[in-house]
Amino acid sequence: MKFISTRGDAPSLNFEEVVLAGLAADGGLYVPETLPKFSKDEIASWSGLSYQELAFNIISPFVDGEIADADLKTIIAKAYQTFRHGAIAPLVQTGRNEWVLELFQGPTLAFKDFALQFLGHLLDYILDKRQQKVAVLGATSGDTGSAAIEGCRRCENIDIFILHPHNRVSEVQRRQMTTVLADNVVNVALEGNFDDCQNMVKASFRDQSFLPEGRQLVAVNSINWARIMAQIVYYFYSALSLGGPHKKVSFSVPTGNFGDIYAGYLAMQMGLPIEQLIIATNQNDILHRCISDNDHSRKSLSQSLAPSMDIMVSSNFERLLFDLYGRDGTEIKRLMNEFESGAMVLSDQALTDARKVFSSYRLDDQGMLSTIQQVFESTGYVLDPHTAIGVAAARENRKNDSTPLVCLATAHPAKFPEAVMKAEGLLEPDLPVHMQDLFSREERCVTLSNDLTAVHQFINQRLS
C-alpha cells in the first residue's frame, strides 16, 4: 500500500516510511492511496473477537506485509497489555440506547493511549530494525503529551520533546508529563496556546536543518498516519458490541484536532454501517461553524474547562477536505493558503457532501457543567468535561432514537477535577491507584518563549 500527500507535491511512501515521516514534504498530510474495504459478512464474522484480534484484522491491510504478521500481533499485544480493563474499550449505558465508550482505560487515562501505546511499540520495532535514532517532537493540548511519553519513554532509539501551552492544561495533565524523569524525555512549557505549539511542530518538520547530523524528526501528533489508523479499531469494536454491522450505529465525538472523528469517517468508508457522526465542540467552535454556517474562520482562542478542545486549527480536517474535493492536491493547497490568511470557504458541493456524513454542536462551559450534573443525578456516572460535551451533542443532534448512539469518552474525570467539582453536587474524582501519588512526584520541565529559533536551539543542545 502507498500513502500520498493531501497537497499532491510529495513522493508517495510505503507504511514504514510514512510512520517515520509524519508531515509530508509539501506540508500536507499522508493518507492511503486506497482504503481497504470490508463486506458486511466479513465484519459480522469478527463478532466475538478480542480487541487485539480485531485490531490486527483492521490494521494489517495498511501495513501490507511490511511487518510480518507474527511481529504485528506482538506489537498490538504489547500496546494493550497495560490497559486496566479486560475489554480494553468497555461500553457503559447512560440513557435509552445511549452508550459511553470508555477510552480512558490505558496507562494515562485518555483515548490517546490507544494510538500512542501502539505507535511507541511500532516505532521501537521499526527503529531497531533500521538501527536508527530519531527525535520525536509533539504538541499537546493535554492528553497527547502524557500518552506519547508513556509510549516512548522506554525506547532506546528515541529522544522525545513535548510542547504544551504554559498554564493551559490541567494540573493532572501537566504532572502526568513532567513527573516522567527518564533521560530521553523533555517537557517544554511554551508561552502561548496549543495552536502556537502545533504551528511550531509543523514548522520544525518543514525545515529540520536545526537537528544534529544523522537525526530526523518523527511525529506523535495525529498528523502521523499510524495514530489515525489505530483509532479506527474502536469504532468497529463498539459497533460490533451493539449489533453491527446488521444495524447501524451513531457516534458523538468530542472534537479538537479532528483526528478521532476522522477515524470514524474512515471506518464508515471501509464498510462499517454508521448512521451519524456528530462533531462535538466547546466554545472554540471552528468546526461547528464550518459545518453549520460554512464559516471556517480563525477567531481568538478561548480558554475553557475542556482544555484539550481549545484548538482553532484542526489539522486533520485537511484529510477530510482532500476527499471532499475529489483528492485534488492543488485545490487543497489553495484552500489551506486561504485559511492561512484567516478563513476558508467550502464549495457548495463540498459542504453538501460533508453534511451527508457529519452534524455538529457547540457547548460552552456552563452547558458542559449542567450535563455533568444531569448525567450524575440520573445514573451516578461521572463524565469528564470533554465527554460531557459529546453527550450533550448526542442528545441534541440524534436523528433516530432506535439507533444505538455511542459517545466517545476521551478521558477519565480525575484528569479534570477542577472542572468536575464546579458541577453542583459532585466531589473530586479519585485518581486510579497507580497514580495516587502523582501530586508528590518530582517534576521536570523547562519554560520557553514562543520563539521558533529558541526552541530549535534548545532541542539541538539537548541532542548534541
Side-chain angles (χ1 to χ4, degrees):
M1 179 177 284
K2 289 293 185 182
F3 296 82
I4 58 175
S5 169
T6 52
R7 302 192 190 181
D9 285 333
S12 61
L13 302 179
N14 63 26
F15 178 74
E16 287 193 5
E17 290 169 339
V18 86
V19 171
L20 295 178
L23 198 68
D26 60 2
L29 304 180
Y30 278 107
V31 294
E33 197 167 37
T34 58
L35 277 176
K37 299 289 177 70
F38 306 119
S39 68
K40 277 190 177 181
D41 287 344
E42 187 174 8
I43 296 170
S45 73
W46 297 339
S47 179
L49 292 183
S50 69
Y51 192 91
Q52 295 89 332
E53 291 168 332
L54 181 63
F56 175 79
N57 286 350
I58 291 167
I59 290 171
S60 57
F62 295 107
V63 177
D64 199 23
E66 289 184 51
I67 299 173
D69 285 355
D71 291 337
L72 181 58
K73 288 178 179 178
T74 298
I75 290 168
I76 291 169
K78 287 180 178 178
Y80 301 110
Q81 68 185 358
T82 57
F83 279 57
R84 299 182 309 283
H85 197 292
I88 309 298
L91 284 159
V92 175
Q93 191 164 9
T94 51
R96 180 177 176 272
N97 234 358
E98 175 189 280
W99 307 81
V100 164
L101 181 64
E102 291 190 340
L103 300 177
F104 52 72
Q105 297 291 343
T108 73
L109 315 184
F111 81 100
K112 307 292 177 75
D113 286 323
F114 278 84
L116 286 164
Q117 285 296 303
F118 172 75
L119 180 58
H121 289 289
L122 179 65
L123 286 172
D124 221 11
Y125 175 89
I126 293 172
L127 294 172
D128 186 61
K129 185 168 73 172
R130 293 177 173 227
Q131 291 297 291
Q132 181 180 354
K133 289 182 71 71
V134 300
V136 162
L137 178 62
T140 185
S141 55
D143 290 331
T144 291
S146 57
I149 288 168
E150 187 63 31
C152 297
R153 62 190 292 185
R154 297 177 183 87
C155 300
E156 294 182 359
N157 295 313
I158 292 174
D159 288 288
I160 180 168
F161 297 82
I162 295 295
L163 312 180
H164 72 266
H166 186 50
N167 290 334
R168 286 175 177 259
V169 299
S170 78
E171 186 175 5
V172 172
Q173 287 177 311
R174 187 194 76 243
R175 285 179 174 274
Q176 281 186 291
M177 296 184 286
T178 59
T179 58
V180 178
L181 305 182
D183 290 340
N184 67 331
V185 173
V186 182
N187 283 285
V188 175
L190 194 74
E191 293 178 332
N193 58 40
F194 171 74
D195 287 342
D196 295 323
C197 297
Q198 183 168 248
N199 289 337
M200 192 166 287
V201 168
K202 289 181 178 179
S204 301
F205 273 85
R206 285 192 292 269
D207 180 4
Q208 300 187 27
S209 59
F210 67 95
L211 292 172
E213 187 176 352
R215 287 291 188 113
Q216 74 169 77
L217 292 181
V218 169
V220 289
N221 284 79
S222 52
I223 59 175
N224 192 312
W225 167 255
R227 272 197 53 183
I228 300 294
M229 176 185 70
Q231 290 171 278
I232 296 170
V233 179
Y234 47 70
Y235 285 91
F236 280 87
Y237 186 69
S238 56
L240 283 164
S241 298
L242 294 171
H246 302 300
K247 66 164 67 173
K248 289 188 174 183
V249 179
S250 294
F251 293 90
S252 180
V253 187
T255 307
N257 215 19
F258 202 75
D260 207 9
I261 197 164
Y262 176 70
Y265 163 80
L266 292 175
M268 179 188 289
Q269 301 305 307
M270 292 164 67
L272 185 66
I274 294 177
E275 185 169 285
Q276 266 186 287
L277 285 171
I278 302 168
I279 299 167
T281 72
N282 64 8
Q283 55 256 46
N284 296 297
D285 61 351
I286 187 168
L287 292 170
H288 169 62
R289 287 187 282 111
C290 182
I291 297 298
S292 59
D293 298 320
N294 201 7
D295 173 15
H296 198 89
S297 61
R298 295 173 187 260
K299 295 188 176 180
S300 297
L301 199 65
S302 171
Q303 193 166 359
S304 78
L305 292 173
S308 298
M309 297 162 71
D310 290 347
I311 296 172
M312 197 59 68
V313 181
S314 298
S315 294
N316 286 289
F317 196 57
E318 180 172 336
R319 284 179 160 128
L320 175 67
L321 291 173
F322 187 55
D323 281 358
L324 295 177
Y325 280 82
R327 309 204 119 199
D328 184 340
T330 302
E331 270 297 286
I332 299 307
K333 193 184 306 181
R334 179 191 64 78
L335 274 172
M336 300 316 295
N337 286 337
E338 192 178 289
F339 183 52
E340 284 295 319
S341 300
M344 75 167 78
V345 177
L346 273 58
S347 69
D348 289 345
Q349 188 61 57
L351 187 61
T352 297
D353 290 345
R355 287 172 173 170
K356 288 177 182 175
V357 179
F358 298 97
S359 55
S360 64
Y361 186 70
R362 173 196 189 276
L363 192 70
D364 61 18
D365 280 350
Q366 191 53 54
M368 175 271 294
L369 293 173
S370 295
T371 303
I372 292 176
Q373 182 181 348
Q374 290 165 11
V375 171
F376 179 71
E377 289 176 350
S378 62
T379 67
Y381 192 79
V382 181
L383 302 171
D384 96 286
H386 308 80
T387 308
I389 293 171
V391 169
R395 293 177 175 182
E396 291 294 326
N397 278 264
R398 73 183 304 169
K399 295 176 181 175
N400 187 347
D401 287 345
S402 65
T403 300
L405 201 155
V406 177
C407 307
L408 271 56
T410 55
H412 192 289
K415 296 196 78 165
F416 304 95
E418 299 89 352
V420 171
M421 288 188 293
K422 286 181 182 291
E424 187 175 337
L426 273 80
L427 301 175
E428 182 173 359
D430 292 330
L431 286 164
V433 173
H434 76 283
M435 286 178 57
Q436 287 188 348
D437 65 341
L438 182 66
F439 292 94
S440 63
R441 297 176 190 172
E442 178 187 349
E443 290 190 81
R444 185 189 295 164
C445 182
V446 61
T447 302
L448 296 178
S449 61
N450 183 17
D451 179 87
L452 185 63
T453 301
V455 172
H456 283 179
Q457 288 176 345
F458 173 78
I459 293 173
N460 180 280
Q461 290 167 2
R462 288 298 302 254
L463 293 175
S464 298

